[in-house]
Amino acid sequence: MPSETQRLYYPDSSDDWEQRAPADVGMDSATLEMAVDFARDPAHEGFGRDLRAEWDASNGGKAHDDARILGPMQDRGQASGVILRHGYIVCEWGEPERVDMTFSISKSFLSTVAGLAWDRGLIRDLNDPVADYVADGGYDSDHNRHITWDHSLRQTSEWEGTLWEKHYAAGNPDDRLLEPVEPGTRFEYNDVRVNRFALSLLRVWKRPLPDVLREHVMGPIGATDTWQWHGYGNSWVDVEGQRLHSVSGGGHWGGGMWISARDQARFGYLSLRRGRWQDRQILSDEWIRMATTPTGLGSDFGFMNWTLNTDQGNVPSAPASCSYHSGAGSNRIFSDPEHDLVIVSRWLSGDHYDGFIRRVLSAIRPEDC
């Protein structure tokens, strides 16, 4: 970390982002170059370029999903990434400015919008039932009315119903029809339930969630205007007389957040700085603390897709204090507070992720660790 007397660096805009040579930030250039070569090696890529074909291969033929794509999809670009140290760009590779699908990293942006609502008192207590705030029929049943905001954030809601013509069981990755249990007692990665959470936040904010994110986060941190947050063709709703589009929390049926690696790096730097950007606290430190508190119940997550490295279980080569925002295709925005690093990597196979991180960390000179 920079010394307490050294002012933290924040880039003003995408066109004014200072780059530093590895040696200037305590890293060995040759070792770092080998790490990047490892990340961009075609043999280490995890997804093919045709993302629709990838989706069909992994999701087609499920018993509880009719396999319809509901939102936009596109082919992916090259394996790409950005590494920041002390906020400066140390290196980039691939197509860092290309806008690509990020799949479940969308969930981290969704939890960020929830954090903005909590910080502003739109959500008073995360242990409040969502039904106290949302009266659209989705929480009327005896089962669903006990679901809290915290359950939704931690993917333990067990919401029961159908949304955007997808039954909740269609969101089960293992293709099992699991009868809902008491909310808060089972972790289950399920995009139907995440999309229900997104709709609930839309009803609380009463404005499109991308507009909220742009005004309160992406604008202030100097992100470009190239990112897009998509919903589905059938996810339009009436909110107090306005026809608004409810976004998806992933790319499971298309849609979700599409964004460049550079803009991901800005979001990662905001995470590393615990919600602070220059002299502005964009997300409260208390929110970041809660977001990075383990959910338990067999989950590696805090809130949504804040993936934690508790006991170094996900990235053995990295400190336990690290975390990353994660999505399919090994879209990852990695934050390492001990080494003051942000590492964005896209389309690197998860099997090779720890090896890549190990190589990056080995580039830090011992005296600068």
Side-chain angles (χ1 to χ4, degrees):
M1 286 287 290
S3 68
E4 293 185 3
T5 58
Q6 182 179 0
R7 182 173 175 81
L8 293 174
Y9 169 75
Y10 291 89
D12 290 328
S13 67
S14 293
D15 296 329
D16 184 24
W17 197 340
E18 189 172 341
Q19 302 193 24
R20 290 282 179 94
D24 293 338
V25 292
M27 302 181 78
D28 178 75
S29 178
T31 306
L32 188 60
E33 184 176 353
M34 287 190 290
V36 171
D37 287 344
F38 182 88
R40 68 193 308 172
D41 185 337
H44 296 161
E45 293 186 22
F47 264 32
R49 296 291 180 95
D50 185 341
L51 294 184
R52 176 59 190 264
E54 290 286 339
W55 189 94
D56 288 341
S58 59
N59 295 284
K62 286 191 171 184
H64 306 295
D65 192 351
D66 59 17
R68 282 178 302 154
I69 296 295
L70 302 177
M73 296 190 77
Q74 68 172 11
D75 293 348
R76 73 165 176 86
Q78 301 175 22
S80 302
V82 180
I83 297 177
L84 311 180
R85 188 152 205 234
H86 308 322
Y88 303 101
I89 294 176
V90 181
C91 66
E92 300 176 287
W93 64 97
E95 302 172 287
E97 296 181 350
R98 176 188 165 93
V99 173
D100 256 343
M101 296 182 72
T102 57
F103 295 94
S104 283
I105 285 182
S106 309
K107 295 175 175 61
S108 289
F109 290 102
L110 192 59
S111 67
T112 295
V113 173
L116 294 170
W118 184 79
D119 282 340
R120 286 157 177 77
L122 297 177
I123 299 172
R124 297 177 294 277
D125 189 324
L126 295 183
N127 293 313
D128 285 346
V130 180
D132 290 353
Y133 299 74
V134 177
D136 61 4
Y139 297 92
D140 287 353
S141 70
D142 289 340
H143 175 81
N144 289 345
R145 69 168 52 111
H146 297 292
I147 295 169
T148 68
W149 293 107
D150 188 76
H151 295 150
S152 299
L153 283 158
R154 296 190 180 280
Q155 303 186 75
T156 64
S157 77
E158 291 293 297
W159 184 81
E160 183 177 21
T162 296
L163 183 68
W164 316 138
E165 301 179 15
K166 295 287 185 181
H167 185 271
Y168 76 87
N172 293 338
D174 53 12
D175 197 29
R176 289 183 295 161
L177 180 60
L178 297 178
E179 290 299 324
V181 297
E182 182 182 350
T185 63
R186 179 169 68 193
F187 174 85
E188 196 172 358
Y189 202 90
N190 184 302
D191 272 30
V192 173
R193 289 166 175 155
V194 170
N195 290 338
R196 176 60 256 196
F197 177 49
L199 175 57
S200 301
L201 286 172
L202 175 64
R203 296 201 182 281
V204 166
W205 276 101
K206 299 180 176 61
R207 56 184 298 208
L209 300 189
D211 290 355
V212 173
L213 186 72
R214 183 177 296 106
E215 177 182 348
H216 296 294
V217 178
M218 304 304 277
I221 68 175
T224 69
D225 60 2
T226 61
W227 61 272
Q228 309 154 34
W229 196 355
H230 297 279
Y232 304 141
N234 62 351
S235 64
W236 291 88
V237 295
D238 180 86
V239 179
E240 296 189 351
Q242 304 176 81
R243 187 170 183 265
L244 302 181
H245 205 191
S246 188
V247 294
S248 63
H252 188 81
W253 296 290
M257 175 65 79
W258 298 14
I259 191 171
S260 71
R262 272 206 170 198
D263 281 344
Q264 285 183 315
R266 285 177 177 268
F267 185 67
Y269 194 49
L270 178 69
S271 302
L272 181 72
R273 295 289 175 244
R274 300 188 63 83
R276 190 167 188 83
W277 196 269
Q278 297 179 345
D279 58 353
R280 180 174 178 179
Q281 194 72 39
I282 290 175
L283 282 167
S284 66
D285 186 79
E286 177 63 10
W287 179 263
I288 301 297
R289 184 195 66 76
M290 293 189 296
T292 53
T293 299
T295 289
L297 300 175
S299 162
D300 296 324
F301 298 113
F303 284 169
M304 287 281 147
N305 274 46
W306 278 84
T307 308
L308 309 180
N309 199 33
T310 308
D311 299 325
Q312 297 176 282
N314 280 311
V315 191
S317 299
S321 59
C322 295
S323 62
Y324 56 91
H325 304 288
S326 58
S330 294
N331 276 278
R332 293 179 180 174
I333 308 172
F334 178 88
S335 297
D336 180 352
E338 292 189 28
H339 297 106
D340 207 34
L341 277 171
V342 171
I343 305 171
V344 173
S345 57
R346 316 195 73 174
W347 317 118
L348 169 67
S349 166
D351 293 339
H352 297 288
Y353 190 69
D354 182 67
F356 167 59
I357 295 297
R358 182 176 69 252
R359 285 167 170 80
V360 174
L361 295 182
S362 69
I364 301 175
R365 295 191 298 241
E367 64 270 24
D368 289 293
C369 286

